[in-house]
Amino acid sequence: MKIRFVLNHKKVEIDVDPLKRLLDVVREDFDLKGVKERCGEGECGACAVLVNGKLMNSCLIPVAQVDGKEVLTIEGYKNTKKYKIIEEAFLEAGAVQCGFCTPGMVMAIEALLSQNPSPEESDVREALSGNLCRCTGYNMIVDAVLLAALKGKGLW
Ligand code: FES
Ligand code: FES
């Protein structure tokens, strides 16, 4: 079945099993390896992408579900000013260790800040509650988000 959607700001079309997971389509068919797989069950957020601006776990979505929609992965977000602010804040707060969770975290942070540019700590914790990190204990990530919100004032 032909599926057409916008991937990282470009129109794409793919002839594919409509039930193939969006995660596998972006990784295998479009070589976007920033989208990670850990649990494969919607529990960890490693595979998170934005679909029409909404945070979704791509391991749970059959690709047919994004037909006609806009999908943004970390690769399409990386060259934005907002990403740079988040990256700097992560470095400053020491919020990256192995980095496996980071792409999904960043997508969750974008989803949060685009809705709520000045979040409280509790908002951040709630927004990141679907993203698991095995390394950092979360506090440094929360600090990074609050820092990014401050440094990026006016951007979101
Ligand atoms: S791999 Fe998709 S939520 Fe864990
Ligand atoms: S930095 Fe290793 S899982 Fe988060």
Side-chain angles (χ1 to χ4, degrees):
M1 178 177 166
K2 284 218 164 96
I3 309 284
R4 297 178 186 87
F5 59 105
V6 175
L7 178 58
N8 293 336
H9 316 294
K10 282 195 202 117
K11 285 186 184 171
V12 295
E13 178 179 303
I14 182 169
D15 204 352
V16 67
D17 173 354
L19 293 180
K20 187 167 178 176
R21 302 181 307 171
L22 177 61
L23 170 65
D24 298 323
V25 170
V26 295
R27 285 183 58 88
E28 292 166 10
D29 299 287
F30 293 100
D31 202 28
L32 299 173
K33 299 287 195 320
V35 186
K36 307 291 186 201
E37 174 162 20
R38 180 168 279 161
C39 71
E41 300 178 341
E43 301 290 336
C44 75
C47 65
V49 299
L50 299 184
V51 178
N52 283 1
K54 207 169 157 236
L55 189 69
M56 304 200 101
N57 287 326
S58 61
C59 69
L60 293 182
I61 310 176
V63 65
Q65 216 170 300
V66 303
D67 192 44
K69 298 192 174 152
E70 281 193 33
V71 176
L72 185 69
T73 75
I74 192 72
E75 287 86 353
Y77 187 59
K78 259 190 156 161
N79 43 19
T80 63
K81 197 154 178 212
K82 293 174 181 173
Y83 174 83
K84 293 279 170 250
I85 299 273
I86 295 172
E87 185 183 41
E88 274 170 34
F90 263 65
L91 291 175
E92 216 171 307
V96 182
Q97 287 185 23
C98 81
F100 194 84
C101 69
T102 311
M105 286 282 179
V106 170
M107 301 320 287
I109 294 164
E110 165 59 22
L112 166 69
L113 295 179
S114 64
Q115 293 295 309
N116 178 1
S118 305
E120 301 288 330
E121 181 180 331
S122 57
D123 302 324
V124 177
R125 288 191 186 276
E126 195 186 323
L128 299 185
S129 61
N131 292 72
L132 302 186
C133 176
R134 290 181 173 172
C135 310
T136 64
Y138 301 99
N139 290 341
M140 290 174 282
I141 296 177
V142 173
D143 289 348
V145 179
L146 295 172
L147 197 60
L150 212 64
K151 282 173 176 265
K153 238 186 182 24
L155 269 185
W156 278 280

